[in-house]
Amino acid sequence: MDSNTLIAIDGYASTGKSTLAKMLSRHYKLTFIDSGSLYRGVTFYALEKGLFENDQLDKEALKEELDFLKLRFKHDNGDLFLNSENVSKKIRLPDVSDHVSTVAALTMVREFILKQIRQMQNKNGMVVDGRDIGTVVFPDADCKFFFMARPEVRARRRFEELKAQGQQTTFEEVLENLVHRDKIDTSREISPLRKAVDAIEIDTSEMNADKVFALLVEKIDSKLNL
Ligand code: DC
């Protein structure tokens, strides 16, 4: 594998993108970037700074705050740091999930994150997962995948994850949040979630992670002549 290989995994929430991106990054020794966690980082920051009032975001205030915001991954364990704070767990809280699509729909935030991700590009090559990686961030990626799965399957997976973390939520709440986010993510004006024309579609509804992994490795090895 070329050291600057780029693999893009886009798709709907809770389809297994990050799990698979992580597995592929280990297998091919590439850097793993979960771009959704960067949008979550900005959202967490906005919530912590009190920039949401009655669910209305003070966009002007956020615009000014972006100059003071640094997001970095610690790559030995993938933890996300916001300035000097490890926010890896906090960005998964339901309050962040409920507000992240609003924040991710803002042009200034997308430009900010785009710059951050491009700066992370390094000589190791990367596996990046998100919503617009194959369409906007890295349109020339070597391999592109687009993940989908039935909403109930996705909600069940996210619900089990949150439960395992000890978070108080119900299956119905998780399903509602997913469907709501899908709607905002696919209908926003800037960089909406959509499949790149050259992306391979993967439906993960009936496959466990190992099965998806085997399928992706087969596709990647054949595309890159490995
Ligand atoms: O993958 P995730 O659920 O952690 O992503 C959180 C939100 O971030 C998701 O609702 C949409 C947004 N996002 C985006 O707009 N573009 C990306 N490349 C990644 C995530």
Side-chain angles (χ1 to χ4, degrees), residues 86-165:
N86 186 341
V87 293
S88 309
K89 287 212 170 71
K90 292 178 181 166
I91 58 167
R92 304 285 155 199
L93 292 170
D95 201 20
V96 175
S97 300
D98 288 342
H99 293 89
V100 66
S101 285
T102 308
V103 172
L106 299 174
T107 305
M108 61 173 177
V109 173
R110 302 210 70 84
E111 283 171 354
F112 172 78
I113 303 281
L114 183 70
K115 216 159 78 190
Q116 304 260 334
I117 300 175
R118 291 208 175 132
Q119 275 171 6
M120 289 173 188
Q121 200 171 356
N122 58 23
K123 56 181 174 12
N124 296 332
M126 304 197 288
V127 187
V128 190
D129 82 275
R131 304 292 191 287
D132 61 341
I133 306 305
T135 50
V136 176
V137 183
F138 294 121
D140 297 329
D142 301 281
C143 290
K144 297 181 189 178
F145 296 99
F146 189 84
F147 279 28
M148 52 212 291
R150 289 196 307 278
E152 291 71 19
V153 175
R154 298 192 278 132
R156 176 64 55 197
R157 285 182 191 151
R158 175 84 28 137
F159 174 64
E160 297 299 340
E161 258 170 45
L162 292 171
K163 213 168 65 176
Q165 291 165 13

Side-chain angles (χ1 to χ4, degrees), residues 37-38 41 71-73 78-82 85-88 91:
S37 67
L38 299 172
L71 290 161
R72 293 282 170 271
F73 287 105
D79 279 356
L80 180 70
F81 280 75
L82 195 166
E85 185 187 359
N86 186 341
V87 293
S88 309
I91 58 167

Side-chain angles (χ1 to χ4, degrees), residues 5-110:
T5 299
L6 272 172
I7 299 173
I9 305 183
D10 289 304
Y12 290 90
S14 293
T15 46
K17 300 186 299 293
S18 296
T19 304
L20 266 297
K22 210 179 286 175
M23 289 168 87
L24 290 177
S25 71
R26 286 201 196 110
H27 181 76
Y28 292 112
K29 301 194 171 43
L30 301 169
T31 302
F32 162 55
I33 305 283
D34 167 10
S35 66
S37 67
L38 299 172
Y39 288 95
R40 287 174 178 273
V42 175
T43 308
F44 171 74
Y45 189 74
L47 285 164
E48 205 179 44
K49 290 273 170 188
L51 303 186
F52 277 98
E53 207 170 306
N54 299 325
D55 277 353
Q56 286 296 315
L57 174 64
D58 183 342
K59 295 178 194 137
E60 280 310 307
L62 179 61
K63 192 168 183 207
E64 282 174 25
E65 291 286 348
L66 285 181
D67 290 337
F68 303 100
L69 211 166
K70 272 208 176 59
L71 290 161
R72 293 282 170 271
F73 287 105
K74 207 172 150 192
H75 275 299
D76 43 349
N77 60 5
D79 279 356
L80 180 70
F81 280 75
L82 195 166
N83 297 333
S84 54
E85 185 187 359
N86 186 341
V87 293
S88 309
K89 287 212 170 71
K90 292 178 181 166
I91 58 167
R92 304 285 155 199
L93 292 170
D95 201 20
V96 175
S97 300
D98 288 342
H99 293 89
V100 66
S101 285
T102 308
V103 172
L106 299 174
T107 305
M108 61 173 177
V109 173
R110 302 210 70 84

